[in-house]
Amino acid sequence: MSRVQRDLPSGTVTFLFSDVEGSTRLLEELGAERYSMALAEHRRLIREVCARFGGTEVDTQGDAFFVAFPTAPGAVDAARAISGGLASGPIRVRMGLHTGTPLVTDEGYVGADVHRAARIAASGYGGQVLVSVSTAGLVDLELRDLGEHRFKDLAAPERVFQVDDGEYPPLRSLRNVWLPVPATPFLGRELELQKVFELLVREDIRLLTLTGPGGTGKTRLALQAAAEASDNYPDGIWWVPLASLRDAALLLSAVAQALEVKEQPGRELNETLTTELVGKRALVLLDNAEHLLPDAAEQIARLVATSGPTLLVTSRERLRLQAEQLYPVPTLAEQDGIELFLDRARALEPAFEANGSVGQLCARLDNLPLALELAAARTMLFSPAQLLERLSQRLDLLKGGRDADPRQLTLRATIEWSYGLLAPEEQRLFRCLSVFAGGCTYEAAEGVCGADPDILQSLLDKSLLRRRDSTFGSRYWMLETIREYSAERLEDAGDASALRRRHAEWCCELAERLITLPGHSPALGSDTEEGFARLQDERDNVQSALAWAWSNGEDELGLRLGVGCSQLWIGRAGFYDAVAWLELATPRIPLAPRRVQLQALKVAGLTAFHVVADTEQADRYWARAHAIAEQLGETDEIAWIERRRAAVIWERGDLDMALLLAERGLTQSHASGNRLREAQWLHGLGEVLRDLGRFEEAERALLEADVIIRQIGGREEFIAANTHSLGDLALDRGDLATASSVYRQSLDQLRGRSPQILVVCLAGIASVFAERKRDETAATIWGAVCAAEETLGFRMVAAERRRYESRLARLEGTPAWAAGRDLTLEEALALLPSP
C-alpha cells in the first residue's frame, strides 16, 4: 500500500530509499509467520529512526521506503542507525541517498532527483549504504569512494560513495553500455517500456523494430529499454545514430565505427564484424533508419544472418525483413502526456501550475511527445489556454531550442522529413486522405481517393497512417498534427476543392444507401440497425462534409446529406446535429429542386415536431411539402404527409378532427393494402380514442396495430412506441399495475436504442410512483427525465408532457428531483425495483 505525506520538506532535500534484499528467499527460509514478524519489526525500526532524525515518510511500496530529510547529515545518520539496528536480524536492506532541490507539488516531489536516489539504492546490496556526490559533500564523514557509475536512468555518470568499509560485490550499474546521455529524464510509458523490455530479452528475437511517426518518442523509448535490458547483454550495448547518413552503403561502417572495429584490407566489412561479434551477447541500437530504406534493410539483414548481436532499430517505416519483430510505438497515455508537459514546463518555470487547459492542450496535440515538449517550451510566452487558441498554427508555432535535431525543430520539419521520403503516388494518396475526419474504411479511401492496397500499406508502414479495428472492419486514420500538414499539402497541390466535393458526395451516397428516406421505409429491421451503426461510424466525416457543403454553396448536397442522416439523428439521439442542420437548411430549401425540397421539408417537419417540439412550425414545413407532392403527383408522399399533419391536429387538442382524419386515413390505407401505413394509422387512432376517454376502442386499435407491425417484421422502435401508448392508456384508466408492467415491456422491446421512447417510458413509470404516493422515487426519476431532455437536446411533445406533468409537476424543485437531475437515464433505470 502506498501513502503520500503532504507536509514535505522543501528547498534542499536529501532523499533516502531503502529496499529489502532477497525478500522471496527470506520468505522461503523463515516461513510466512516469522517473515511477517521480521518485516513488521523492520518497518517499525525504519519509521522510528527516520522520525528521530527529522525524516518525513513520503511513500512506501511493499517493503520499500521513500523518506525525505531536511539535512544530509540527518539522512546519513538515520541510514547508519537503520543499518546497525537491523544488523543482528534476518532482514538486510540496501539504502541509497541523494541530495537535490526537487519541486514540491500536490502530488509529491517532482524532478530527476527522486529517480536518481532510487537508482542509487537499487544498485547496492543488503546492508550497504550508498550516497551520491551531492550528499557526500554535505556530511563530515570519511566515505569510501566507489568511483563513477552510470545507472539505468541513463543520466551522466555519477560518483558514488559507501558509508562504511564493508565488502560488497560491484555495484549493479551499467557496464559496457555506450548509450548517449538524454537531455531529459524518461517519464511515464511504464507499460510500453515493459513490453519492449520483454521483447528484447527473448532469445528468439534477433531484430526488433520500433516504428511510429516522427516525434512519438521511439528513440527515447529504445534507449531506456536497452538500458533496462543491459543485464541480458553483458558483452555490450552500442548506439549507432543513422540520421546523418545519406548512403545506406555506409551503414555497416557506422556500426563498425561505433563498436571500434577496424576495417581490414582485402576483407568484407561484414565478415570483420561477424568475426568480432559472433557468439557475443550484445545489443546494437540502430537509430533513425527510415531514410536509408529499402537499401539499409539489406545491410541489416547481413548482421541478423550472423550469430552475433541482437539489433534494436528505430524507424518511421518497418524494414520488411522476415526476422523482424515490430513494435508500433503509440502516442502517450493521457496522464503520461500531462506529466511530460508539466515536467518540461516546470524545467523552465518551477512554479508552473496545472489547470484544466493542460489536459485539453495535450489531447489536441495527440499526446505526441515531441509536440508536448515543443508546446511546453512556449509556456514562457503563452499560457496553456492561449496555446489552445493558437493550435491552428501548431506546425510552426511549436519550435524547439537551438540544440534540437533539425528534423525536429518544428512539427512541420518533423512531418516534412517523412513526406519527403515518399514516392509521388504515396504523396498523392497521403494528401488525399486528409479529407477524411475521424478516419475511413478501405472502401472509402478507394472510392474518394482511388487508393491502392499497396500504397495504403506503404503509408501504414511509414507511420503516416494508422489502423484501428471497428465493427465494420479496419479504419485508417492520421494523427491530427499529421492530418493538418497533409491538408496543407492538398491545398498547395490545387486538388482540395475537387477532393472535398468527392468526399461530400461519398458521404451523401452512403447515407442514402444505408438509410431509407422518411416515409419510404417498409418494415425495416436488422438491416436498418446495421445501417445506423455504419453511418454513426462516419459521423465526423458527415459533419465535415456538411460544413464544406454549406460554406461552399453546395446547398443541394447539404440538404440531401441531412435528409439521408435524418433517421439516425432523430432516432438515435443525434438531436443537436438535427437542429443544427435545420437552422442552416431552412433558408436554402426554397432554392433547391422540387424533389429535394420535398424530402428536406419532410425532414424539417420531423425535426421540428419530435426534437424541437414546435408542432406549428412542423405543420408549416409539412404544408409546403404537401403542396409540392401534389404538384409532382406523388400519392404515397401525400399520404405520409397527411398522417403527420393529423398528428399535429391531435397535438393541438382538436380530438374530433384528429379522429376524423385517423378514420379516413385508416380506411384509405386498408383499401390500398399498405399494411405498414395501416398499422401507423391504427396507432394514431388509438392515441386519439384514448385521449377521448374511449378506452376499450383505443385498446383494440393499439393491439391491432401491434399485431400488424409484428406480422410484417416491423422495427422495434414502432413496437416499443405502440406498447408505450398502451402504458399511457392504462395510466389514464387508473390501472397502475398494468401501466407499470406495460411501460417495462416497452423498455424491454426497445433495447436502449431510442432515447425518446426511453424518456417517455421513465416519465410514465414516475407517474405511476406519484399516483402511488411514492413521491421521492417519482421525483428522482422525473428529475433524470427533465435533465436528459436538456442534455440530449430534445423535448417530448406537449400532449405527452401534459399527461406526465399533471402528476409530477408538483415534485419539481424538491431535493429528490434535484438529485435525480444528476443521474443518467441508465442510473434512473437502475432505481426501478425488479418486476
Side-chain angles (χ1 to χ4, degrees), residues 11 13 15 17 66 97-103 109-120 132 134 153 158 185:
V13 179
F15 294 136
F17 278 82
F66 172 20
L97 292 84
H98 173 67
T99 303
T101 55
L103 176 67
Y109 288 111
V110 174
D113 293 316
V114 177
H115 304 287
R116 175 47 45 121
R119 291 289 189 182
I120 290 173
S132 68
S134 61
D153 59 2
E158 171 102 23

Side-chain angles (χ1 to χ4, degrees), residues 2 28 44 151 162 225 241 251 272 288 406 471 501 504 506 581 591 620 622 637 644 735-736 761 786 790 813 827:
S2 171
E28 293 175 352
R44 184 204 63 76
F151 302 105
Q162 183 178 300
L251 187 148
T272 305
N288 293 307
T471 306
R501 188 178 214 296
W506 176 84
W581 176 85
L591 305 177
R620 288 192 291 273
W622 285 330
E637 298 285 13
R644 291 296 176 177
D735 185 353
L736 301 182
C761 283
C786 295
E790 296 171 12
E827 290 168 337

Side-chain angles (χ1 to χ4, degrees), residues 720-735:
N722 195 67
T723 303
H724 164 262
S725 294
L726 284 165
D728 283 349
L729 171 62
L731 180 66
D732 289 356
R733 277 175 159 174
D735 185 353

